[in-house]
Amino acid sequence: MSSCIGELEDAKPRKMDFSRPRGATPAIPSDACCGDKPPYKNPHHTQKAFEVMNILRKQNLLCDVTLVADGVEIAAHKMVLASCSPYFYAMFTSFTESKAEKITIQGVDGQALQLLVDYVYSSEIQVTEDNVQVLLPAAHLLQLTDVRDACCEFLQGQLHPSNCLGIRAFADLHGCLELLNYADSYTEQHFVEVVESEEFLALSPTQVCKLISSDKLAVPSEEKVFEAVMSWVNNDLPNRQDYLAQLMEHVRLPLLSQEYLVQRVEEEPLLKSNHLCKDFLIEAMKYHLLKGEQKIMYKTPRTKPRTPIGRPKILLVAGGQAPKAIRSVECYDFKEERWYQLAELPTRRCRAGLAVLNGLVFAVGGFNGSLRVRTVDVYDPVRDQWSQAPSMEARRSTLGVAVLSNCIYAVGGFDGSTGLNSAECYDVRAEEWKTIAPMSTRRSSVGVGVLNGVLYAVGGYDGASRQCLGTVEQYDPDTDSWLPVAEMSARRSGAGVGVLDGLLYAVGGHDGPLVRKSVECYNPETNAWTSVADMMMCRRNAGVIAVDGLLYVVGGDDGSSNLSSVEVYCPKTDSWSMLPSFMTIGRSYAGVAIVDKPV
């Protein structure tokens, strides 16, 4: 028996002896080696533990509380809820609910509570259009700030002119300051589209006042603000006409054109019958009578120009010759640094002019591959759609197009048989074209630009004398007359024209077979042209546009082939660089414009 016991004792595991034999080197003190190797840590431990707790919850095992909302009952563990939500932490450590087995959560949607409890255990939640409106207030109440922020981020991505006012009110109600500020900024930047929505017409008088008083409204002119106010008042005239004076206090009538004041504002019956509104109108008329420094010194809240924070811009390129007339429209996103396609023109069009007015792009005249045309197509960047506007009085291709005093001017061009010295302008409100005074000479392939309220016709080709032109003349809309200014240093037909920092640039062009890469700029104060750095490539019939202090020269041709490249001029360094991203095709005679990036 004793032998058996001895065998069993021998079989017992013996404690390992880590002591050192006599004469061995003394062991290093434990406190000196504790940093050599960190403690073991399982990176998946917490995740697996929560997964197991979630399984137990779904089987209603070891749960110690049931949450109730809108008749929905959800089993859970107090410890888990308290560890993730300050709301539940306070409830289960400081209030009587800490001992309750069933707790009703007031003011929370049952579906939202279920999703949030699932999130506490899984760290995942799907925010959708269907649940965001109940999920955000529930997350806010339970102080699950990361879920609330995810909801705000989702709503921020859903902003549109038709819903931004509603989202703004929702953010304000639930204390989402970042979303609130973003929605405010979005509304200001998209004011023109926002005022067309039902949400705008449903605003209170105080809300309308707050919106139109902002200095940051992005509006092409103060006309849009005036018309928005009148639209809001007329939507419920019996109950809103008494607020008209309160609203007009924030409309900057002095910034309207004198013509619009006389023809539209002064003739508005609601303003005529309101004494305070008539005072605002008199103030505006008085402002227009002031000259020079008097106007600068005369300051009221209504004479302060609005300074909107710029919306992201895109460079739009429409139609062109590649090598035949095309319908293709593409744009360059400055932020994303890439080109992408937009809705095509209704018909093929090259040698047209592009103008931007009230957020719309007008493609005027041109050549459709067989005929010079009078037609005008209109592009809406918000809807990515083209429509038609009234046609010009004359057929014009290779014309110059510009916007001056809220009218579109079409200058010179070629009608299929002869070059033109005539010009006409389009009144958007009246939706009609009218002829203006002719230029002193025929100019096809003419470049135009507007500087200091005056329109300039630069170079071109005189079919009568069969020569490219270096002459330049300016049009004053107040006197309906053209006057010559200093000639360029070189003859330029098909030159691109752009305006930047108070100077008028003439870019490239040709003189007979000679295609130029030279560039010069005109200073109206000195009535003189000055040469600047040459482009990197020879270009004629290129599109030229200015944005953010830079001049962009788009496509064109070098005399032998169409170009897909874009050059950029920086006046501060007097240097050119090439845009790294090329258009999808080479284009000459294309129209170019800068517009706000669509939502």
Side-chain angles (χ1 to χ4, degrees):
M1 186 73 171
S2 60
S3 62
C4 290
I5 293 173
E7 290 175 359
L8 288 172
E9 288 176 345
D10 291 339
K12 288 181 180 178
R14 296 184 179 182
K15 184 177 180 180
M16 296 182 69
D17 185 3
F18 288 102
S19 63
R20 294 179 179 272
R22 293 179 182 178
T25 304
I28 299 173
S30 60
D31 61 347
C33 64
C34 62
D36 287 356
K37 186 175 182 180
Y40 168 75
K41 183 176 181 179
N42 183 349
H44 306 294
H45 174 79
T46 305
Q47 180 183 347
K48 288 186 175 181
F50 268 82
E51 288 175 357
V52 171
M53 286 186 282
N54 200 21
I55 292 171
L56 293 172
R57 176 182 71 91
K58 291 180 178 178
Q59 296 176 359
N60 202 10
L61 295 174
L62 304 180
C63 296
D64 54 0
V65 69
T66 299
L67 304 178
V68 182
D70 283 347
V72 178
E73 295 191 356
I74 306 159
H77 306 89
K78 292 179 181 178
M79 178 65 75
V80 176
L81 296 176
S83 68
C84 298
S85 163
Y87 174 89
F88 283 120
Y89 179 88
M91 175 182 286
F92 296 139
T93 60
S94 305
F95 296 94
T96 56
E97 287 90 346
S98 61
K99 297 179 181 179
E101 295 182 355
K102 181 175 285 191
I103 301 170
T104 299
I105 309 296
Q106 301 290 346
V108 173
D109 178 84
Q111 177 203 10
L113 183 60
Q114 179 71 68
L115 289 171
L116 291 172
V117 172
D118 289 345
Y119 169 77
V120 165
Y121 284 84
S122 67
S123 76
E124 292 182 357
I125 193 165
Q126 185 70 48
V127 182
T128 68
E129 290 184 27
D130 294 330
N131 66 28
V132 68
Q133 293 192 57
V134 294
L135 198 56
L136 190 151
H140 181 58
L141 175 68
L142 302 183
Q143 296 176 268
L144 292 168
T145 55
D146 46 352
V147 178
R148 188 195 66 176
D149 291 345
C151 292
C152 290
E153 184 177 346
F154 177 85
L155 288 172
Q156 185 171 310
Q158 298 294 308
L159 282 169
H160 185 272
S162 64
N163 66 21
C164 60
L165 291 172
I167 289 177
R168 185 218 174 274
F170 189 69
D172 190 22
L173 179 64
H174 299 294
C176 302
L177 295 182
E178 187 174 344
L179 178 61
L180 175 65
N181 292 334
Y182 191 90
D184 276 337
S185 178
Y186 182 95
T187 301
E188 290 165 346
Q189 292 178 15
H190 295 80
F191 179 83
V192 174
E193 302 101 289
V194 169
V195 296
E196 301 293 331
S197 69
E198 292 296 324
E199 288 188 346
F200 173 75
L201 296 176
L203 291 178
S204 69
T206 302
Q207 290 171 324
V208 176
C209 283
K210 183 178 179 181
L211 177 57
I212 64 173
S213 64
S214 171
D215 289 336
K216 300 176 183 177
L217 290 188
V219 287
S221 72
E222 197 66 18
E223 292 178 17
K224 283 294 179 183
V225 184
F226 174 79
E227 289 167 2
V229 168
M230 298 311 302
S231 176
W232 182 87
V233 171
N234 285 313
N235 189 62
D236 186 8
L237 188 59
N239 296 312
R240 293 180 174 179
Q241 58 184 340
D242 291 341
Y243 296 105
L244 187 59
Q246 180 183 340
L247 294 168
M248 281 298 158
E249 182 179 355
H250 304 289
V251 180
R252 303 178 188 190
L253 294 180
L255 303 184
L256 293 168
S257 69
Q258 191 168 357
E259 178 185 11
Y260 188 83
L261 281 169
V262 173
Q263 296 183 359
R264 174 70 177 91
V265 180
E266 189 179 29
E267 295 302 314
E268 172 56 54
L270 292 175
L271 269 65
K272 283 184 174 181
S273 59
N274 188 300
H275 293 297
L276 286 174
C277 291
K278 289 174 71 174
D279 289 343
F280 294 137
L281 180 59
I282 291 170
E283 176 191 63
M285 294 295 194
K286 178 181 177 181
Y287 181 78
H288 277 275
L289 293 175
L290 299 176
K291 303 293 183 182
E293 291 187 4
Q294 291 179 321
K295 186 171 286 189
I296 297 173
M297 296 299 294
Y298 186 82
K299 292 183 178 180
T300 75
R302 287 166 294 282
T303 60
K304 182 181 179 182
R306 299 186 192 268
T307 54
I309 298 174
R311 285 166 57 181
K313 304 292 184 182
I314 57 174
L315 168 62
L316 184 144
V317 186
Q321 199 164 289
K324 296 182 179 179
I326 56 176
R327 296 176 56 195
S328 166
V329 179
E330 58 185 313
C331 71
Y332 180 73
D333 188 315
F334 293 99
K335 185 176 182 180
E336 298 179 8
E337 296 184 342
R338 69 180 183 93
W339 293 89
Y340 58 89
Q341 299 294 317
L342 298 175
E344 290 189 333
L345 285 156
T347 59
R348 294 193 294 157
R349 193 185 290 262
C350 67
R351 308 179 193 179
L354 250 59
V356 179
L357 186 58
N358 297 337
L360 301 175
V361 181
F362 292 75
V364 181
F367 181 63
N368 65 12
S370 57
L371 294 172
R372 278 76 189 174
V373 298
R374 301 186 298 119
T375 57
V376 179
D377 291 323
V378 184
Y379 177 70
D380 183 343
V382 175
R383 297 176 176 83
D384 190 28
Q385 292 178 351
W386 288 90
S387 58
Q388 278 201 325
S391 296
M392 293 183 292
E393 295 183 354
R395 299 180 185 274
R396 300 177 189 271
S397 71
T398 65
L399 70 163
V401 172
V403 174
L404 176 61
S405 301
N406 287 316
C407 289
I408 298 174
Y409 284 77
V411 178
F414 183 68
D415 66 4
S417 59
T418 184
L420 303 172
N421 66 345
S422 64
E424 50 190 301
C425 73
Y426 177 65
D427 186 327
V428 177
R429 292 188 298 273
E431 295 188 341
E432 63 180 10
W433 289 88
K434 63 178 182 180
T435 301
I436 63 171
M439 295 179 288
S440 63
T441 186
R442 299 178 184 184
R443 297 179 188 268
S444 61
S445 295
V446 61
V448 297
V450 172
L451 187 59
N452 300 332
V454 176
L455 185 146
Y456 292 84
V458 180
Y461 179 74
D462 181 356
S465 62
R466 296 186 178 182
Q467 64 177 0
C468 298
L469 301 171
T471 58
V472 181
E473 49 191 310
Q474 65 176 18
Y475 175 76
D476 185 342
D478 292 335
T479 60
D480 187 29
S481 61
W482 293 88
L483 292 172
V485 298
E487 290 191 22
M488 293 181 286
S489 64
R491 299 175 185 270
R492 300 178 189 272
S493 177
V497 172
V499 174
L500 186 62
D501 297 333
L503 301 174
L504 185 79
Y505 287 80
V507 181
H510 68 99
D511 182 6
L514 175 63
V515 181
R516 302 187 183 279
K517 61 179 178 180
S518 63
V519 182
E520 52 189 308
C521 65
Y522 175 74
N523 187 334
E525 294 183 2
T526 60
N527 189 31
W529 289 87
T530 305
S531 294
V532 300
D534 287 355
M535 289 185 291
M536 302 171 73
M537 302 178 65
C538 297
R539 294 176 190 266
R540 65 181 179 186
N541 308 320
V544 175
I545 200 79
V547 61
D548 293 336
L550 300 173
L551 200 65
Y552 289 78
V553 182
V554 183
D557 69 85
D558 59 8
S560 59
S561 60
N562 293 327
L563 304 172
S564 59
S565 59
V566 178
E567 292 192 48
V568 187
Y569 176 70
C570 176
K572 292 181 180 179
T573 59
D574 188 28
S575 62
W576 291 87
S577 60
M578 196 74 74
L579 204 65
S581 182
F582 285 26
M583 292 184 288
T584 56
I585 53 174
R587 302 171 189 251
S588 65
Y589 288 114
V592 298
I594 297 292
V595 296
D596 292 332
K597 182 178 179 179
V599 180

